[in-house]
Amino acid sequence: MAKALRVGIGGLGTVGASVVRILHEKANTLACHCGRPIEVVAVSARDKNRDRGIDLSHVKWFDSPVQMASSNEIDVFVELIGGELDVAYASVEAALKAGHHVVTANKALLARHGVALATHAEEKGVFLNFEAAVAGGIPVIKVMRESLSSNHVSRIYGILNGTCNYILTRMFTEGLSFKDCLADAQKLGYAEADPIFDIEGHDTAHKLALLTSLAFGTVISLDDVYVEGISNISQVDIRAADKLGYRIKLLGVALKTDTGIEQRVHPAMVPTSSVIAQIHGVTNALAIQSDLLGELLFSGPGAGGAATASAVIGDLADIAKAHPGFQCGSVLGRPALALTPYEKACIATHAGGYFIRLSVHDRAGVFATVAKHMADHDISLESIVQRSFVEGQIGGTKTIILVTHETTEANIQQALARIAEDGHLVARSRFIRIERMT
Amino acid sequence: MAKALRVGIGGLGTVGASVVRILHEKANTLACHCGRPIEVVAVSARDKNRDRGIDLSHVKWFDSPVQMASSNEIDVFVELIGGELDVAYASVEAALKAGHHVVTANKALLARHGVALATHAEEKGVFLNFEAAVAGGIPVIKVMRESLSSNHVSRIYGILNGTCNYILTRMFTEGLSFKDCLADAQKLGYAEADPIFDIEGHDTAHKLALLTSLAFGTVISLDDVYVEGISNISQVDIRAADKLGYRIKLLGVALKTDTGIEQRVHPAMVPTSSVIAQIHGVTNALAIQSDLLGELLFSGPGAGGAATASAVIGDLADIAKAHPGFQCGSVLGRPALALTPYEKACIATHAGGYFIRLSVHDRAGVFATVAKHMADHDISLESIVQRSFVEGQIGGTKTIILVTHETTEANIQQALARIAEDGHLVARSRFIRIERMT
């Protein structure tokens, strides 16, 4: 059998420890699959003495991941350092400089520096694999990078954050408030102590930025993602959506429009009968629409030590099989230098249906005024619900729910501004975009 | 840019013509993606003069696909001959013998000769890619072969035949009979003039046999697949299933049990709330359950010229990128010689819930007798429905629907045999297996 692929792992948290454990437990299967063994020969983490339940006795310890990454004792550097962007960047750069392959699960690193690192990897002719950076154990990167080469992608959309989907699922099934669900998710380890990055949509935005580049062959453009989280979603929205035939999901969406590429992360109404509406709990899903395939959809575990480790090991196996003498191909599906500039379509030009919730004073003429402003802005209404199923009315106020036909975000914003000026609202108006499914 | 990958295509039906057209239309994108052009240099088909809407003026015509397959003018032989197993086999074998890579969409060829051909390809160090053979445009082969290397798969199940799913979907949504749906599917080109291969489950069985080998590392064992089609499914079954919270789908299922591997193709009850129940029309879907990932699910187009061509071109792109100097890896996820023997679990030992439909004489004591035979065979009942929602009663007869808790197929068969012996039945009893979803 050929020489072992020598792996150095930076970062031994849940994922890192799982990678070490699984590579050991499944050594024979993997060697059979790859035609050569994959061996962890070096590790680096913050605390040398922590008990991680894995045997590191035959593995060289490095205090510095950067030093390990550039050591000639390894063939591949696995970057699982995460959070600390400086250290992660420095160690990945050091590995590439030394001509080592890199596997990383670091979406933040790639969303910020992906194109530069890809350029670097391609110059050196080494792999920079990042399956674990998006949608955990679902092999969406491989599929987009390798299987869809002849497809012209028009839109991608998906549930890319398990924490948010868990919260929204429980809000729906158990009628709990956002706050209570979040607290529970934190207790159960599905949400971080500081949940902002997840619940405000930033985690989804990082992942979406990478997928957008793969989908459209553009440079990664994180700062152009429109981001809105789920902390404003209430039981009123969820119940009204249900009655109208929708579920609310936090989606990441990227599509080509006449004015450019729209990248957006926000709570969206999806039809109850759609597959994406059936994605429950911490599960992730991604749909890809293209000319040759219509719609492909993948769902699976978006996080967790074992699932993420599975993705990391899939990346390592690709390297083990290819090595040596392989042209490593493009990190982002086409050569980094051939990626085209990102042309942004503003959220104001977004076209779609809208779910609008207005809390208004219960007095004569309010609805007529609302209807007039809608008509003035060319917005036609599909459904109008006053009071009927809405809970939580405050004395002297009522809730109006409107569902619009396709219109633009600019029209909606202007109409709502006019409605607000009239002084009928008792609270800020809310709207949720409806994502069309075909 | 590196030398072009020279492709010879055998078979110019819908898929073959689509491959030629798309490789031409997307030549630049593909060359950018692969780092080299992919060029069709030779073709072979039955009728040289048929107008296929594609330009073949710069392409060499071979009257014999076998001769083309072994010609040194090509690097890859694409086998899209289909049906004629002898010609397909001979040409693939000739290509491998000549040291050419092979891409094929031929499930029947691989289900019968896959291991032998894989052995041959691996000896020669060439690719034998077959993404298009299963689930059309959904890259299930790539994912199972490359991404799941560290996973221990416990079960796969899926909708692998678009014709059947189209018929079952329309039977559900429009209340049509099986016969009428089939006739319509034939009119619309979703079903063949001779539909037996599709509707009796054989197409699904071929695909399942390949997936089973990839899932469990066993030799391909088509003859061990238990096969049952959808031609006996009636509106009574579909309506009863709906009321009980189920949809009926033709599934291919393979799982590991204590006695061996169960491979089965049959109509199955799946919970209405499951993702697989939302797969409508000609769409295919595959779920893979494994130790590290829980459940992965893919859905997308299972057939059609463009979708199948997309899979073929994905396979070609992998070859274009790898070539030259690459170790081609294993055709079936592990070396053909390392595949383990298939150990069959008989359908009689299948454990699960059952939906049973009995047409009985409407007289006293019938139900008591039925209930006794069930109890005698240790079968406990979850639901019992007499008459209530069942249409189509014939004078003096009634329909009894039973849903059982988990039991074995042997118990069900024996209980139904006893019930038949009692002379209460006016028609053969029917049962549909319930597929558990977690």
Side-chain angles (χ1 to χ4, degrees), chain B residues 14-39:
Chain B
T14 318
V15 177
S18 297
V19 170
V20 173
R21 185 178 51 75
I22 296 164
L23 282 176
H24 179 74
E25 282 172 11
K26 308 218 172 155
N28 291 338
T29 313
L30 280 162
C32 177
H33 172 74
C34 299
R36 60 194 293 219
I38 301 176
E39 267 172 32

mmCIF file of all heavy atoms in Angstrom, chain B residues 14-39:
data_model
loop_
_atom_site.group_PDB
_atom_site.id
_atom_site.type_symbol
_atom_site.label_atom_id
_atom_site.label_comp_id
_atom_site.label_asym_id
_atom_site.label_seq_id
_atom_site.Cartn_x
_atom_site.Cartn_y
_atom_site.Cartn_z
ATOM 1 N N THR B 14 -31.790 10.695 -26.952
ATOM 2 C CA THR B 14 -32.007 11.990 -26.293
ATOM 3 C C THR B 14 -30.798 12.398 -25.453
ATOM 4 O O THR B 14 -30.341 13.541 -25.515
ATOM 5 C CB THR B 14 -33.230 11.903 -25.346
ATOM 6 O OG1 THR B 14 -34.246 11.166 -26.012
ATOM 7 C CG2 THR B 14 -33.727 13.271 -24.978
ATOM 8 N N VAL B 15 -30.279 11.450 -24.650
ATOM 9 C CA VAL B 15 -29.175 11.794 -23.759
ATOM 10 C C VAL B 15 -27.895 12.070 -24.555
ATOM 11 O O VAL B 15 -27.229 13.083 -24.339
ATOM 12 C CB VAL B 15 -28.942 10.676 -22.721
ATOM 13 C CG1 VAL B 15 -27.749 11.003 -21.840
ATOM 14 C CG2 VAL B 15 -30.188 10.468 -21.866
ATOM 15 N N GLY B 16 -27.579 11.176 -25.483
ATOM 16 C CA GLY B 16 -26.364 11.346 -26.276
ATOM 17 C C GLY B 16 -26.346 12.665 -27.025
ATOM 18 O O GLY B 16 -25.341 13.404 -27.000
ATOM 19 N N ALA B 17 -27.465 12.993 -27.661
ATOM 20 C CA ALA B 17 -27.544 14.255 -28.399
ATOM 21 C C ALA B 17 -27.416 15.444 -27.442
ATOM 22 O O ALA B 17 -26.767 16.444 -27.762
ATOM 23 C CB ALA B 17 -28.856 14.329 -29.181
ATOM 24 N N SER B 18 -28.027 15.324 -26.259
ATOM 25 C CA SER B 18 -27.909 16.407 -25.271
ATOM 26 C C SER B 18 -26.455 16.601 -24.825
ATOM 27 O O SER B 18 -25.993 17.728 -24.647
ATOM 28 C CB SER B 18 -28.766 16.126 -24.029
ATOM 29 O OG SER B 18 -30.123 16.065 -24.362
ATOM 30 N N VAL B 19 -25.747 15.501 -24.628
ATOM 31 C CA VAL B 19 -24.339 15.601 -24.212
ATOM 32 C C VAL B 19 -23.543 16.354 -25.276
ATOM 33 O O VAL B 19 -22.780 17.279 -24.971
ATOM 34 C CB VAL B 19 -23.734 14.202 -23.952
ATOM 35 C CG1 VAL B 19 -22.222 14.292 -23.758
ATOM 36 C CG2 VAL B 19 -24.376 13.544 -22.737
ATOM 37 N N VAL B 20 -23.736 15.983 -26.544
ATOM 38 C CA VAL B 20 -23.013 16.653 -27.634
ATOM 39 C C VAL B 20 -23.335 18.152 -27.652
ATOM 40 O O VAL B 20 -22.452 19.003 -27.712
ATOM 41 C CB VAL B 20 -23.378 16.016 -29.000
ATOM 42 C CG1 VAL B 20 -22.765 16.824 -30.147
ATOM 43 C CG2 VAL B 20 -22.916 14.562 -29.057
ATOM 44 N N ARG B 21 -24.624 18.451 -27.545
ATOM 45 C CA ARG B 21 -25.066 19.846 -27.610
ATOM 46 C C ARG B 21 -24.516 20.669 -26.436
ATOM 47 O O ARG B 21 -23.958 21.754 -26.618
ATOM 48 C CB ARG B 21 -26.600 19.894 -27.604
ATOM 49 C CG ARG B 21 -27.211 21.276 -27.792
ATOM 50 C CD ARG B 21 -28.742 21.226 -27.834
ATOM 51 N NE ARG B 21 -29.337 20.495 -26.721
ATOM 52 C CZ ARG B 21 -29.443 20.954 -25.470
ATOM 53 N NH1 ARG B 21 -29.017 22.165 -25.174
ATOM 54 N NH2 ARG B 21 -29.992 20.207 -24.526
ATOM 55 N N ILE B 22 -24.625 20.137 -25.234
ATOM 56 C CA ILE B 22 -24.204 20.895 -24.052
ATOM 57 C C ILE B 22 -22.678 21.054 -24.018
ATOM 58 O O ILE B 22 -22.168 22.113 -23.664
ATOM 59 C CB ILE B 22 -24.740 20.231 -22.757
ATOM 60 C CG1 ILE B 22 -26.276 20.278 -22.754
ATOM 61 C CG2 ILE B 22 -24.190 20.917 -21.523
ATOM 62 C CD1 ILE B 22 -26.930 19.344 -21.754
ATOM 63 N N LEU B 23 -21.952 19.999 -24.407
ATOM 64 C CA LEU B 23 -20.486 20.129 -24.437
ATOM 65 C C LEU B 23 -20.064 21.227 -25.416
ATOM 66 O O LEU B 23 -19.077 21.929 -25.189
ATOM 67 C CB LEU B 23 -19.831 18.797 -24.843
ATOM 68 C CG LEU B 23 -19.746 17.719 -23.773
ATOM 69 C CD1 LEU B 23 -19.156 16.434 -24.344
ATOM 70 C CD2 LEU B 23 -18.913 18.183 -22.571
ATOM 71 N N HIS B 24 -20.835 21.380 -26.475
ATOM 72 C CA HIS B 24 -20.534 22.437 -27.444
ATOM 73 C C HIS B 24 -20.921 23.814 -26.897
ATOM 74 O O HIS B 24 -20.104 24.737 -26.873
ATOM 75 C CB HIS B 24 -21.274 22.139 -28.753
ATOM 76 C CG HIS B 24 -21.053 23.175 -29.797
ATOM 77 N ND1 HIS B 24 -19.863 23.288 -30.489
ATOM 78 C CD2 HIS B 24 -21.853 24.173 -30.239
ATOM 79 C CE1 HIS B 24 -19.950 24.316 -31.324
ATOM 80 N NE2 HIS B 24 -21.148 24.861 -31.194
ATOM 81 N N GLU B 25 -22.157 23.911 -26.388
ATOM 82 C CA GLU B 25 -22.658 25.208 -25.907
ATOM 83 C C GLU B 25 -21.864 25.748 -24.717
ATOM 84 O O GLU B 25 -21.684 26.946 -24.571
ATOM 85 C CB GLU B 25 -24.126 25.075 -25.471
ATOM 86 C CG GLU B 25 -25.127 25.047 -26.609
ATOM 87 C CD GLU B 25 -26.537 24.728 -26.121
ATOM 88 O OE1 GLU B 25 -26.780 24.726 -24.887
ATOM 89 O OE2 GLU B 25 -27.395 24.463 -26.978
ATOM 90 N N LYS B 26 -21.425 24.849 -23.852
ATOM 91 C CA LYS B 26 -20.755 25.299 -22.618
ATOM 92 C C LYS B 26 -19.269 24.999 -22.650
ATOM 93 O O LYS B 26 -18.639 24.805 -21.593
ATOM 94 C CB LYS B 26 -21.428 24.634 -21.423
ATOM 95 C CG LYS B 26 -22.939 24.827 -21.448
ATOM 96 C CD LYS B 26 -23.545 25.065 -20.116
ATOM 97 C CE LYS B 26 -25.006 25.446 -20.256
ATOM 98 N NZ LYS B 26 -25.792 25.146 -19.067
ATOM 99 N N ALA B 27 -18.711 24.935 -23.835
ATOM 100 C CA ALA B 27 -17.304 24.555 -23.982
ATOM 101 C C ALA B 27 -16.376 25.454 -23.154
ATOM 102 O O ALA B 27 -15.478 24.958 -22.461
ATOM 103 C CB ALA B 27 -16.910 24.592 -25.460
ATOM 104 N N ASN B 28 -16.620 26.747 -23.179
ATOM 105 C CA ASN B 28 -15.714 27.661 -22.468
ATOM 106 C C ASN B 28 -15.790 27.502 -20.957
ATOM 107 O O ASN B 28 -14.765 27.437 -20.272
ATOM 108 C CB ASN B 28 -16.029 29.116 -22.841
ATOM 109 C CG ASN B 28 -15.642 29.397 -24.280
ATOM 110 O OD1 ASN B 28 -14.802 28.691 -24.851
ATOM 111 N ND2 ASN B 28 -16.260 30.404 -24.878
ATOM 112 N N THR B 29 -17.014 27.467 -20.440
ATOM 113 C CA THR B 29 -17.192 27.281 -18.998
ATOM 114 C C THR B 29 -16.518 25.999 -18.546
ATOM 115 O O THR B 29 -15.814 25.964 -17.530
ATOM 116 C CB THR B 29 -18.697 27.161 -18.658
ATOM 117 O OG1 THR B 29 -19.390 28.215 -19.328
ATOM 118 C CG2 THR B 29 -18.945 27.236 -17.183
ATOM 119 N N LEU B 30 -16.743 24.941 -19.310
ATOM 120 C CA LEU B 30 -16.187 23.640 -18.920
ATOM 121 C C LEU B 30 -14.664 23.638 -19.001
ATOM 122 O O LEU B 30 -13.996 23.089 -18.113
ATOM 123 C CB LEU B 30 -16.778 22.532 -19.800
ATOM 124 C CG LEU B 30 -18.178 22.093 -19.372
ATOM 125 C CD1 LEU B 30 -18.876 21.343 -20.492
ATOM 126 C CD2 LEU B 30 -18.087 21.218 -18.120
ATOM 127 N N ALA B 31 -14.133 24.244 -20.024
ATOM 128 C CA ALA B 31 -12.676 24.290 -20.159
ATOM 129 C C ALA B 31 -12.068 25.072 -19.005
ATOM 130 O O ALA B 31 -11.029 24.697 -18.442
ATOM 131 C CB ALA B 31 -12.288 24.917 -21.497
ATOM 132 N N CYS B 32 -12.740 26.144 -18.603
ATOM 133 C CA CYS B 32 -12.272 26.957 -17.475
ATOM 134 C C CYS B 32 -12.327 26.125 -16.196
ATOM 135 O O CYS B 32 -11.384 26.113 -15.401
ATOM 136 C CB CYS B 32 -13.150 28.203 -17.359
ATOM 137 S SG CYS B 32 -12.749 29.269 -15.979
ATOM 138 N N HIS B 33 -13.417 25.411 -16.020
ATOM 139 C CA HIS B 33 -13.605 24.586 -14.829
ATOM 140 C C HIS B 33 -12.578 23.451 -14.761
ATOM 141 O O HIS B 33 -12.029 23.155 -13.696
ATOM 142 C CB HIS B 33 -15.023 24.013 -14.839
ATOM 143 C CG HIS B 33 -15.289 23.005 -13.776
ATOM 144 N ND1 HIS B 33 -15.454 23.343 -12.454
ATOM 145 C CD2 HIS B 33 -15.396 21.654 -13.838
ATOM 146 C CE1 HIS B 33 -15.652 22.243 -11.750
ATOM 147 N NE2 HIS B 33 -15.621 21.210 -12.570
ATOM 148 N N CYS B 34 -12.344 22.805 -15.907
ATOM 149 C CA CYS B 34 -11.514 21.593 -15.923
ATOM 150 C C CYS B 34 -10.029 21.886 -16.184
ATOM 151 O O CYS B 34 -9.188 21.011 -15.997
ATOM 152 C CB CYS B 34 -11.987 20.628 -17.008
ATOM 153 S SG CYS B 34 -13.675 20.075 -16.786
ATOM 154 N N GLY B 35 -9.738 23.074 -16.648
ATOM 155 C CA GLY B 35 -8.352 23.381 -16.992
ATOM 156 C C GLY B 35 -7.956 22.827 -18.357
ATOM 157 O O GLY B 35 -6.796 22.889 -18.755
ATOM 158 N N ARG B 36 -8.891 22.294 -19.094
ATOM 159 C CA ARG B 36 -8.654 21.774 -20.440
ATOM 160 C C ARG B 36 -10.001 21.564 -21.127
ATOM 161 O O ARG B 36 -11.009 21.330 -20.466
ATOM 162 C CB ARG B 36 -7.868 20.460 -20.398
ATOM 163 C CG ARG B 36 -8.582 19.362 -19.626
ATOM 164 C CD ARG B 36 -7.676 18.202 -19.291
ATOM 165 N NE ARG B 36 -7.265 17.474 -20.448
ATOM 166 C CZ ARG B 36 -7.150 16.133 -20.513
ATOM 167 N NH1 ARG B 36 -7.442 15.404 -19.447
ATOM 168 N NH2 ARG B 36 -6.750 15.544 -21.592
ATOM 169 N N PRO B 37 -10.012 21.623 -22.458
ATOM 170 C CA PRO B 37 -11.292 21.421 -23.152
ATOM 171 C C PRO B 37 -11.732 19.953 -23.116
ATOM 172 O O PRO B 37 -10.902 19.054 -22.982
ATOM 173 C CB PRO B 37 -10.990 21.828 -24.601
ATOM 174 C CG PRO B 37 -9.645 22.482 -24.572
ATOM 175 C CD PRO B 37 -8.912 21.933 -23.387
ATOM 176 N N ILE B 38 -13.041 19.760 -23.242
ATOM 177 C CA ILE B 38 -13.604 18.416 -23.436
ATOM 178 C C ILE B 38 -14.208 18.417 -24.838
ATOM 179 O O ILE B 38 -15.110 19.216 -25.114
ATOM 180 C CB ILE B 38 -14.703 18.110 -22.400
ATOM 181 C CG1 ILE B 38 -14.141 18.201 -20.980
ATOM 182 C CG2 ILE B 38 -15.310 16.728 -22.648
ATOM 183 C CD1 ILE B 38 -15.187 18.002 -19.879
ATOM 184 N N GLU B 39 -13.710 17.552 -25.711
ATOM 185 C CA GLU B 39 -14.156 17.594 -27.106
ATOM 186 C C GLU B 39 -14.706 16.256 -27.576
ATOM 187 O O GLU B 39 -14.062 15.221 -27.402
ATOM 188 C CB GLU B 39 -12.964 17.945 -28.022
ATOM 189 C CG GLU B 39 -12.846 19.425 -28.290
ATOM 190 C CD GLU B 39 -11.558 19.742 -29.025
ATOM 191 O OE1 GLU B 39 -11.086 18.899 -29.829
ATOM 192 O OE2 GLU B 39 -11.018 20.837 -28.782
#
